[in-house]
Amino acid sequence: MSFLYVLWQQLGYWFIVVGGAAGAFLLVGIVVSLLQHGSAAPAILGATLVRGVKDLLFMSAKRIAAIAKLTFVESYRRQVFAVGLVFLGVIMFGGWFFGDAKSDSIAPYVSTVVTPMWFVLVPMSLLVSCWGIPADVKERSIHTVVTKPVKRSEIVVGRMLGYSAIMTVIVVAVSLGNYLWLMGQVPEHLKDQMVARVPVYGELTFLDRQGMPSKVGINVGDPWEYRSYIEGQTQSRAIWRFSFLDLGTLKKMESIPLEHRFEAFRTVKGRIEVETRFQLTLINPTTKLRMTLPAMYSVREFVASGRERVLEVPQTLPLTVEVNKKTEWEDPDLQQRVDEEVERVLEELRKEEAAAAAAANRAPKEITRQDVKEVTVDVFVLDDLVDDTVENLGSALTVEIACVEPNQFIGVNPADLFVRLSDKSFTGNYVKAMVGIWLFVILLVILGTTSSCFVKGPVATLLCVGLIILGYHLTGHLETQRQLAEAQAVHGAGGPLEATYKLLTKSPELPNNFGTKVMSKIDGAAVSALNVAQLAVPDLTRFSTEATDRQLQLDISRGFDIPATHMIYRFIVVLSYFIPMVILGYFSLVLRELEHK
Amino acid sequence: MSAVIEIRNLSKIYRDFWGRPKVKALNSLSLDVQQGEIFGLLGPNGSGKTTTLKCLLGLLFPTSGTATILGKPSHDVEKNERIGYLPEESYLYKFLTGDETLDFYGRLFKMSAAELKKRKEELLDLVKIKHARHRQLKEYSKGMTRRIGLAQALINDPDLILLDEPTSGLDPIANSQMKDLILDLKKQGKTVVMCSHLLADVQDVCDRIAILHQGDLKVLGNVQDLLQTKGESQLRTSELSEEALKEVQQVLAKHGVDLKEASHPTTTLEDLFLRTVMESEQRPGRRFEPGELPTGSVEQADSPTGATEGGSRKN
Ligand SMILES: Nc1ncnc2c1ncn2[C@@H]1O[C@H](COP(=O)(O)OP(=O)(O)OP(=O)(O)O)[C@@H](O)[C@H]1O
Ligand SMILES: [Mg+2]
């Protein structure tokens, strides 16, 4: 997905959200105003709106800076930084305990420093941003500010900037401290894990024991069902379909790295050191060319995620073709190379036969294609096994895994096999993760400041905590709903209403009448509404630094590079909250008396 | 002379969280303040003085009525460019130093950095806080906070200054300086509105006053007019001897005393104030015109300073 596309899509939704929110506020405003002012309401409302537009459009940078500075100095002098120091102390303390634990992975080291950041920075941002304006009102110091030529919009923006500045300093300090700690604490032999792997994931399907396609593998009774299993020495296979591979990058590499993290499951109580081996087959989905790699690989459960788990598929593989049999694959290009090889072999055979005939003084026998049993040609994995043509966009390569040990099982999950592009730097990825945390903190500051414009500190904090919880749980739910609705639409089932209708009437087609037209319109709207709702509540899991089922790649502690699309999403969420929240904060300050009650 | 402040039928009812009325703080108040005058807003505690100022400044929203200040509605922020406000208590940022305080407030105005620096030095001199300019306000004494509060109110060289109890917490010297300052501001053509309980001071500096009582306007007018007692004469003499004092009631001129001044006697503002409040309590809901209030001493009221200094007549 291109940057611009993501930007465009998100901004589009965002305008709908802002427009909708503005409409809702306006409606509430009209109702309240009518109740309060009666017939004078339209004039008062109009004047307030005009004033609002003016105040929001023409703000003075100088005054905003003055208020931001005041805010910064206030937090600073109230020893907000001390909290940062305490935090660093906690980390050191944790690290001290941690020092004994033997780990063969850097993951615990990274999570020791990254996970507590959330627990400290989130409450801290709320503590800093939710209480300032209410205290300003309570102590009435705001009276000396609003009686100067200061617009309330400037107070909101200045406050947000000031809190953002102080939180920025804290995030920078803490992440720097953590980085230095990591560099110092991670043992030398684990340093090679400090990379940012760039995975390309595929879609996983299965073949069952009888070789029939199936969505899931065999369940071995694992209650979590994180992995599905394939059984050894049966037809059962795990099949990954990669939709797109960046050939330019891969061709520059010596071999094509496939990283795996399978799990073995033994039904016979074997010795643990017995290896569970598997075989890898690469398939071109279009030409059906199959190449089973000669080597057997074994499941490496007990190694860290270093290079031991990486299968290096060579750029070229030898393919032996039985000349006189019809091939399973259809690839003119490869066929030509095979034919050329056959010709070469024929040529050689003829020369040999000519020499033998001359020596024996007889007429040479005729050598035909029938005399060549098989030839071996080089298969260029990236050219012959990967289909990157436009017409087959979306299915570039298929990788099949077969377990070769009888009575043993290999457990797989979609993320258990991926093409590992050239690693990026750990430091760069760490910076991205920290920028992500920082953006989250800024988002909280924006939400906190705004809520503190209309409720007191404790309520504002609660409100924000509620939003965070929603952001973590609701969006995942919404996403599922949306995908469901979309899938139904794609597969001709129509939207939720249409699907229900079909289900109830048991008819595959909709009658073409007015009612059904309305129904599909409502369905369309429902899908859009879900899209919008998804943006209205930010998907906070996207800010996470830890892997979830949905977002594996966010786990920097396991050394995965954070994709650019996630960074864009984070930026856009923060940006898109900023403006509506300033407007909301502004009107909250304008419409209320700044008097402690 | 044009009106700088126009208040028309201003009422303010404080409500609780549920919107139920709690206190009626102002009751249909109407008054004007003219350009260039010093206006005193008087009244017992809780009579609505501060509420009036806050409504003027847009800190509170009137329940009904309007307040116009410098020709603009009170919510307009641009007019604040020309206004200075000293709140009743110094609601300042305690973690800032005196210096930073003036810097902060100064930056909120259209003022160049050089101008602000100059102004800051002048004001620190004026309020005599230079020695403590680098200390945080939380370490300031009450009077010092008051002084820095005054400085921030004057930082923009305002044309209209609203002072809510400017002399509270000040020592006698600062108090008299404050009076000089206010008179000085008037000389520069500025308008001052002040609330105060120090009636002698108000009497000294104010051109006009209003007395509020439980949100009602009771007295409004020129200080001179209000304090004049009609139908009586007042003589001012040089030092009188013992005998002269005895005879003075019978034959004043006979003893050859110089007649320095003959005028209407004036009462003190304190007298006027106490009488207004007492009358208001006895006869609620009335507005008193100048000279209408009964003259004479107020026995019921405790008057610690003694109401005699200005020469009130005792019957
Ligand atoms: N925030 C508030 N909430 C509720 N009532 C208030 C509030 N502020 C003032 N009042 C009430 O309004 C009335 C007028 O108060 P105001 O502060 O205007 O009096 P004042 O004349 O300034 O008194 P003082 O001389 O004590 O400063 C009082 O009865 C007071 O209790
Ligand atoms: Mg008061």
Side-chain angles (χ1 to χ4, degrees), chain A residues 123-172:
Chain A
M124 207 161 147
S125 335
L126 294 182
L127 211 68
V128 162
S129 61
C130 287
W131 300 73
I133 291 178
D136 210 4
V137 172
K138 186 176 173 198
E139 281 154 30
R140 297 197 172 113
S141 35
I142 203 166
H143 287 187
T144 47
V145 177
V146 295
T147 50
K148 306 280 185 284
V150 176
K151 300 185 171 117
R152 315 264 155 129
S153 48
E154 292 162 347
I155 295 180
V156 178
V157 176
R159 284 273 169 186
M160 283 181 184
L161 287 185
Y163 296 133
S164 299
I166 199 123
M167 288 313 295
T168 304
V169 171
I170 290 169
V171 170
V172 167

Side-chain angles (χ1 to χ4, degrees), chain A residues 51 62-63 66 70 74 77 136 139-141 144-150 590-593 595, chain B residues 12 54 59-61 75 77 80-81 85 87 91 93 95-96 100 104-105 107-109 111 136 152:
Chain A
R51 181 151 67 99
K62 189 178 146 199
R63 287 193 290 261
L70 174 87
E74 172 178 34
R77 301 235 164 110
D136 210 4
E139 281 154 30
R140 297 197 172 113
S141 35
T144 47
V145 177
V146 295
T147 50
K148 306 280 185 284
V150 176
V590 162
L591 297 177
R592 65 181 275 218
E593 293 179 330
E595 182 77 10
Chain B
K12 175 69 193 173
K54 283 182 178 170
L59 294 169
L60 295 177
F61 303 151
H75 62 68
V77 292
N80 293 351
E81 206 63 66
Y85 168 55
Y91 304 130
Y93 293 96
F95 52 85
L96 291 180
E100 289 167 337
F104 167 65
Y105 289 111
R107 281 205 200 100
L108 302 178
F109 291 95
M111 205 190 289
Q136 290 186 25
Q152 73 67 37

Side-chain angles (χ1 to χ4, degrees), chain B residues 91-294:
Chain B
Y91 304 130
L92 302 170
Y93 293 96
K94 303 229 170 4
F95 52 85
L96 291 180
T97 67
D99 220 46
E100 289 167 337
T101 303
L102 295 189
D103 270 336
F104 167 65
Y105 289 111
R107 281 205 200 100
L108 302 178
F109 291 95
K110 291 190 191 106
M111 205 190 289
S112 73
E115 222 178 312
L116 172 57
K117 190 156 187 284
K118 185 167 152 268
R119 186 83 189 136
K120 188 172 75 177
E121 297 303 320
E122 281 171 14
L123 285 171
L124 285 171
D125 265 335
L126 179 77
V127 300
K128 305 203 165 45
I129 217 80
K130 257 201 164 134
H131 62 284
R133 63 189 293 176
H134 294 304
R135 285 166 59 193
Q136 290 186 25
L137 299 198
K138 61 181 175 207
E139 299 172 10
Y140 278 24
S141 72
K142 177 164 190 216
M144 288 163 81
T145 320
R146 215 62 203 138
R147 287 161 189 247
I148 199 79
L150 179 68
Q152 73 67 37
L154 298 176
I155 190 82
N156 56 330
D157 194 14
D159 297 333
L160 168 65
I161 301 118
L162 305 172
L163 305 171
D164 201 341
E165 298 185 31
T167 50
S168 89
L170 293 183
D171 61 40
I173 299 167
N175 195 7
S176 103
Q177 280 166 349
M178 176 65 89
K179 280 196 276 184
D180 292 345
L181 174 74
I182 293 171
L183 290 170
D184 209 45
L185 288 172
K186 179 187 156 79
K187 256 187 232 142
Q188 295 170 35
K190 313 201 175 234
T191 314
V192 179
V193 176
M194 58 186 280
C195 303
S196 184
H197 294 296
L198 293 182
L199 300 173
D201 297 342
V202 173
Q203 188 175 357
D204 287 349
V205 300
C206 286
D207 300 319
R208 290 199 308 139
I209 56 160
I211 300 181
L212 299 181
H213 182 261
Q214 288 177 4
D216 289 321
L217 179 64
K218 288 298 178 184
V219 170
L220 173 68
N222 197 301
V223 176
Q224 289 312 314
D225 295 346
L226 286 172
L227 298 185
Q228 229 164 53
T229 315
K230 296 239 162 56
E232 290 165 15
S233 293
Q234 173 179 303
L235 299 180
R236 196 167 159 213
T237 70
S238 60
E239 183 71 54
L240 286 181
S241 64
E242 280 292 321
E243 317 100 80
L245 197 61
K246 280 181 198 156
E247 292 177 38
V248 77
Q249 281 148 319
Q250 297 156 5
V251 241
L252 193 68
K254 220 174 173 182
H255 289 272
V257 175
D258 284 347
L259 188 65
K260 285 271 173 76
E261 189 189 302
S263 65
H264 295 296
T266 58
T267 172
T268 59
L269 183 54
E270 184 159 5
D271 237 10
L272 174 72
F273 183 84
L274 293 175
R275 265 185 275 123
T276 307
V277 172
M278 276 187 341
E279 286 296 320
S280 298
E281 251 136 52
Q282 280 155 22
R283 295 188 282 160
R286 272 195 86 258
R287 162 107 179 253
F288 306 112
E289 295 307 324
E292 187 195 335
L293 287 163

Side-chain angles (χ1 to χ4, degrees), chain B residues 49-51 88 164-165:
Chain B
K49 307 181 291 292
T50 303
T51 303
E88 143 174 73
D164 201 341
E165 298 185 31

